[in-house]
Amino acid sequence: TAGIVTFAPGADLDCHEHPTSESITVLEGRLTVDVEDRRYELGPLDNICIPRGLAHAAVNPGATPARAHVAMPTSAPVRTLVPAAAASRVQPEASRGVAGKERVTRFATAHRTEAGPNTSFIDHFNAAVMPGLEMSGGYGLFMPGGRLPAHVHDFDEAITIIDGVAACLVEGRRYEMSGCETAMQPRGRVHYFRNDTDATMAMLWVYAGPMPERIVVDERCCT
């Protein structure tokens, strides 16, 4: 499950927990996220991934709306309200979370890799960095002309275009996507993304699998 949540100024979610993990990526504004007794101040494109069973809450501390991308490795999200900690300790900006618990990825300092020509990718979460996690995902930036090879996954995938315009090619079909539109790619569907514009394009991607694995195939399988 993936979606976009908008928080009005001062809006908050009561403390709760899920039977699955959850990813939260700030798109606009700022969010304060409490996990147990730890408080994280998150800005645009910062991510926090919270494993199953950890009590957490979120609030928009600002005077303007905040938006976030959320994802869970389930087709039917549920939550259980739980008591909040008596007090929360603000974590330093350099904090990357707590080993064995939540993981925080700061956009400004995150490690980046190339997943295709003229691209820059950040891994937010996967089972290698969070043992036992049920999903994987991250951020991808496409420079003009940037693209991925044609590929397929052995699990479902959701890709949300958060900036610019993307060309999404899926087995002979081409879709133009922008404005937080999301492509849901079922397991086994050959696809790839490219940036045909003169501006940058960015996405958030989430795999329904614990590791970001792909099988590269001949482009003719997609076109």
Side-chain angles (χ1 to χ4, degrees), residues 118-151:
N118 297 320
T119 67
S120 176
F121 273 63
I122 297 171
D123 285 315
H124 285 158
F125 49 87
N126 57 57
V129 294
M130 300 180 70
L133 198 70
E134 321 95 311
M135 61 179 181
S136 52
Y139 165 90
L141 176 67
F142 290 63
M143 303 299 181
R147 58 159 295 165
L148 298 177
H151 62 278

Side-chain angles (χ1 to χ4, degrees), residues 87-218:
S88 295
R89 297 174 288 112
V90 177
Q91 303 300 292
E93 189 169 329
S95 173
R96 298 298 179 262
V98 176
K101 295 191 175 185
E102 70 274 7
R103 174 181 170 87
V104 176
T105 303
R106 301 288 183 178
F107 181 76
T109 56
H111 175 70
R112 288 159 168 81
T113 60
E114 186 176 271
N118 297 320
T119 67
S120 176
F121 273 63
I122 297 171
D123 285 315
H124 285 158
F125 49 87
N126 57 57
V129 294
M130 300 180 70
L133 198 70
E134 321 95 311
M135 61 179 181
S136 52
Y139 165 90
L141 176 67
F142 290 63
M143 303 299 181
R147 58 159 295 165
L148 298 177
H151 62 278
V152 64
H153 304 290
D154 194 24
F155 38 69
D156 300 336
E157 178 186 14
I159 310 99
T160 301
I161 305 304
I162 60 172
D163 186 46
V165 179
C168 172
L169 292 92
V170 188
E171 297 184 358
R173 298 173 294 280
R174 182 184 184 279
Y175 303 91
E176 190 171 277
M177 299 174 54
S178 61
C180 284
E181 293 175 334
T182 297
M184 302 293 290
Q185 300 289 354
R187 172 184 179 182
R189 191 72 68 191
V190 182
H191 65 283
Y192 73 90
F193 285 80
R194 70 186 186 212
N195 181 4
D196 294 336
T197 74
D198 293 329
T200 57
M201 177 268 285
M203 62 170 60
L204 293 174
W205 49 274
V206 181
Y207 294 159
M211 291 299 296
E213 298 168 338
R214 68 184 183 185
I215 302 168
V216 176
V217 300
D218 192 294

Side-chain angles (χ1 to χ4, degrees), residues 15-60:
C15 191
H16 61 280
E17 60 184 35
H18 304 288
T20 61
S21 55
E22 179 181 16
S23 162
I24 304 169
T25 306
V26 179
L27 299 177
E28 298 175 9
R30 301 192 66 83
L31 284 180
T32 296
V33 179
D34 288 353
V35 184
E36 296 183 329
D37 64 346
R38 300 172 295 281
R39 174 164 294 176
Y40 299 92
E41 305 286 349
L42 304 178
L45 299 181
D46 289 342
N47 172 271
I48 185 168
C49 185
I50 304 165
R52 65 174 78 88
L54 279 188
H56 59 283
V59 62
N60 174 8

